[in-house]
Amino acid sequence: MGEERKLNQNHAPIYEALENFRKMRVVPFDVPGHKHGRGNPELTEFLGKQCVSIDVNSMKPLDNLCHPVSVIKEAELLCADAFGAYHAFLMVGGTTSSVQSMVLSVCKRGDKIILPRNVHRSVINALVLCGAIPVYVNPEVDTKLGISLGMKREQVAKAIEENPDAVAVLVNNPTYYGICSDMKAIVAMAHKAGMYCLADEAHGTHFYFGENMPISAMKAGADMASVSMHKSGGSLTQSSLLLMGKNVNAGHVRQIINLTQTTSGSYLLMSSLDISRRNLVLRGRKVFAKVVNMAEYAREEINAIGGYYAFGKELINGNSVFDFDPTKLSVHTRDIGLAGIEVYDILRDEYDIQIEFGDIGNILAYLSIGDRRQELERLVSALAEIRRRYQKDSSGLLSQEYIDPEVVTSPQEAFYAKKHSVPLRESVGCICSEFVMCYPPGIPILAPGERITPEILDYIEYAKLKGCSMTGPEDPDILNLNVLV
C-alpha cells in the first residue's frame, strides 16, 4: 500500500455519491437516453426503477473512470488498501480487460513473455494485440484426473535462463480447478532476472480475505494482478480489479487501460465493486471460512458416494501443486463412465442445478459467498442419483485434458496472416490462425500460430460429440478451420 494512510473501509464513495444523486432529482439532458428509465418502461419493469435510475453518465459529482479525481479515485484507494496493493483500477470490461491491460502495460511487439499454456484466451488475445512472443511453460498433467497442474519452479527457472530477454512471467493464481504454483518463488525468480511478475487471479479474490488460503499475488510481491471480483467476490458480472505492486508506473497503466476500456463506465458495475469491496473487508474472513467448510463437507459426502473423486489438498506436492484453493469443488466423473460435460448437462436438464462447467473428465461447482448448505446437499443427492441411474463402463472415454502445443509463429502474425478455410481433418500439419476452445473454462485447445495435430483434432471432435460448448473459430459448427496459406 503506497503511502501510510488510514482509510475508512466502512466507506463506499461511489455508492454514497449515487445515493446523493438519486435524492437530488436532477433533470437529465444527457445520456443514457432512457432518462432514468422513463423512456423504456419494459426495461424499468424488468430491472427495477432503483437500478435504472443510477444507470447514469459521468459528471462532476460522480467523477470519470478515465481520469478519476474524486469519488472513483477514493474508491480505488480503498480497493488498494483492502487488497494490500499500491494502486487499484476499477475495471468494467471484465477480467478479460484487466488481463489484457496488464499484459499490454509491460509487453510490446517482439517482447517475450513466459507463461503457462493453460491460460485464459484473454492472455493470448493480448499477445495478438501487442505482438509479444509467448514462451510457454507446459504444465505437468495429472494423468488420473486429466487436468493440467501449476508451473514447476525448475521449469520457470529454465525458461528464464533460456530467455533472459523476456520482459515478464505470468502465473495463474489459481487455475480454474484450484491448483496454485509457488507464487512467492516465481516472483523472486522473475525479479532477480529483471522481469515483471503478473498474476491472473480471476479465481482468487478470496485469497485476499479468507484465512488459511493460498498466498495472494500482492502478498507474494507480484507486480500486477487481475482480480475477478464478480466471481468469488460478489460484485456484478463484468466488474473486475487490476492491482498494482510498488514497481509499476500506475499512470502508464491508466493510459493503457484507456486505449481499450469504454469511456462510458457503468456506474452499476463500479458501485457493485465499491459495495463488494466493503462487504469483503467487513465480513470476508467469516464468510469464506463458511465457504471452505461447505466445500470440505461436500467433498467428503461426494467421495462417500463412490465412483466420483472430489479432489482437494491431498494433491499438494510442494511444486506443480504448491497449494490448493479449498473453496473449489472440482469432481472427477470419468470413473462412473460419464464425461464431466455429460454430468453437467444432466444436472441442469433433470435436476435444475446449474454448475460452473463440465469438461472431458471433471465438473466444477463454484462455491462462494452466496451459497447455502441446503443447496449443496441437493447437489450431493443429485450426483448420487446420477451415478445410480447413469453409471456405465468408463473404457473408451478420453482422459487427456491438456495437449502440449507446437508453436510455429507468434499469435499476432498467425491471426493477421493470409489464411484459407479447410475441412477439419484436412488441416493436419497446418498452422492454425484462430482459436478453438471449450467455454467455460476458455483455455484454448488451439491458439493462432500453433500446428494442428491428429491428437488435437481427436480432442476437438470428442469434445463436440460429448456436448462441450465450443467457441473461437469463424465456422460456428467447427467443421472447418482457418489455417495459414
Side-chain angles (χ1 to χ4, degrees), residues 326-470:
T327 72
K328 292 289 184 292
L329 183 56
S330 302
V331 183
H332 188 60
T333 64
R334 211 168 59 89
D335 290 343
I336 66 163
L338 294 174
I341 187 62
E342 292 174 309
V343 176
Y344 169 97
D345 286 338
I346 294 167
L347 282 169
R348 183 194 61 247
D349 296 342
E350 300 188 27
Y351 294 90
D352 297 325
I353 294 173
Q354 181 62 57
I355 58 172
E356 177 67 8
F357 76 81
D359 55 29
I360 299 302
N362 305 276
I363 58 172
L364 173 66
Y366 211 103
L367 303 189
S368 195
I369 60 178
D371 286 294
R372 300 178 299 177
R373 194 177 178 107
Q374 55 262 45
E375 277 99 9
L376 263 183
E377 288 168 351
R378 186 173 160 189
L379 172 64
V380 171
S381 297
L383 288 173
E385 199 169 301
I386 287 169
R387 185 199 174 208
R388 180 177 59 78
R389 291 174 62 200
Y390 292 102
Q391 183 172 18
K392 57 188 177 185
D393 181 24
S394 64
S395 60
L397 287 183
L398 196 65
S399 63
Q400 183 81 343
E401 287 287 345
Y402 175 78
I403 302 167
D404 288 353
E406 181 192 341
V407 180
V408 181
T409 186
S410 77
Q412 187 184 66
E413 287 176 357
F415 188 83
Y416 290 109
K418 286 186 178 179
K419 63 197 79 169
H420 66 288
S421 178
V422 298
L424 200 62
R425 277 292 162 186
E426 292 177 24
S427 69
V428 172
C430 297
I431 312 305
C432 193
S433 72
E434 55 188 354
F435 291 92
V436 184
M437 72 203 82
C438 299
Y439 191 87
I443 297 165
I445 302 162
L446 267 174
E450 295 175 359
R451 192 177 302 282
I452 301 165
T453 65
E455 186 183 17
I456 288 169
L457 295 182
D458 289 345
Y459 184 100
I460 291 170
E461 290 180 338
Y462 183 84
K464 283 171 62 181
L465 179 69
K466 289 296 183 184
C468 288
S469 177
M470 307 291 287

Side-chain angles (χ1 to χ4, degrees), residues 184-212:
K184 202 166 183 180
I186 293 171
V187 168
M189 285 189 276
H191 286 174
K192 186 178 179 184
M195 301 174 189
Y196 290 105
C197 187
L198 317 177
D200 180 349
E201 285 190 311
H203 301 282
T205 305
H206 47 290
F207 289 4
Y208 291 87
F209 301 97
E211 287 188 300
N212 302 315

Side-chain angles (χ1 to χ4, degrees), residues 41-61:
E42 290 89 353
L43 180 69
T44 303
E45 185 180 357
F46 179 61
L47 295 180
K49 193 173 190 311
Q50 182 97 346
C51 178
V52 294
S53 69
I54 59 163
D55 179 36
V56 293
N57 193 28
S58 296
M59 61 188 75
K60 277 192 175 181

Side-chain angles (χ1 to χ4, degrees), residues 79 115 121 142 159 193 203-204 221 230 240 267 274 375 391 404 441 467 476:
C79 279
L115 66 161
R121 72 166 291 173
D142 184 302
H203 301 282
H230 71 89
S240 180
Y267 280 87
D274 200 23
E375 277 99 9
Q391 183 172 18
D404 288 353

Side-chain angles (χ1 to χ4, degrees), residues 221-235:
D223 298 294
M224 303 174 79
S226 299
V227 178
S228 196
M229 277 285 277
H230 71 89
K231 291 189 170 71
S232 61
S235 64

Side-chain angles (χ1 to χ4, degrees), residues 137-289:
V137 174
N138 288 320
E140 278 192 344
V141 173
D142 184 302
T143 51
K144 173 177 168 50
L145 301 176
I147 65 169
S148 49
L149 304 178
M151 299 164 83
K152 294 177 78 170
R153 287 184 295 271
E154 52 269 34
Q155 289 177 316
V156 177
K158 184 171 183 285
I160 289 173
E161 184 182 348
E162 291 176 354
N163 300 274
D165 53 341
V167 297
V169 179
L170 185 141
V171 191
N172 294 326
N173 194 50
T175 70
Y176 226 138
Y177 298 100
I179 308 295
C180 297
S181 303
D182 189 347
M183 193 76 210
K184 202 166 183 180
I186 293 171
V187 168
M189 285 189 276
H191 286 174
K192 186 178 179 184
M195 301 174 189
Y196 290 105
C197 187
L198 317 177
D200 180 349
E201 285 190 311
H203 301 282
T205 305
H206 47 290
F207 289 4
Y208 291 87
F209 301 97
E211 287 188 300
N212 302 315
M213 295 282 182
I215 193 168
S216 69
M218 287 295 105
K219 194 163 186 183
D223 298 294
M224 303 174 79
S226 299
V227 178
S228 196
M229 277 285 277
H230 71 89
K231 291 189 170 71
S232 61
S235 64
L236 291 178
T237 296
Q238 202 176 307
S239 59
S240 180
L241 294 174
L242 181 54
L243 306 178
M244 304 286 106
K246 63 182 177 181
N247 298 318
V248 179
N249 181 342
H252 171 68
V253 176
R254 174 87 69 194
Q255 289 182 316
I256 295 293
I257 290 169
N258 286 342
L259 288 175
T260 56
Q261 183 162 254
T262 178
T263 55
S264 304
S266 166
Y267 280 87
L268 294 172
L269 298 182
M270 286 188 279
S271 60
S272 83
L273 286 168
D274 200 23
I275 294 165
S276 299
R277 177 269 313 154
R278 182 175 66 177
N279 182 50
L280 293 180
V281 171
L282 299 180
R283 305 177 188 92
R285 183 173 294 188
K286 183 178 179 181
V287 168
F288 288 122

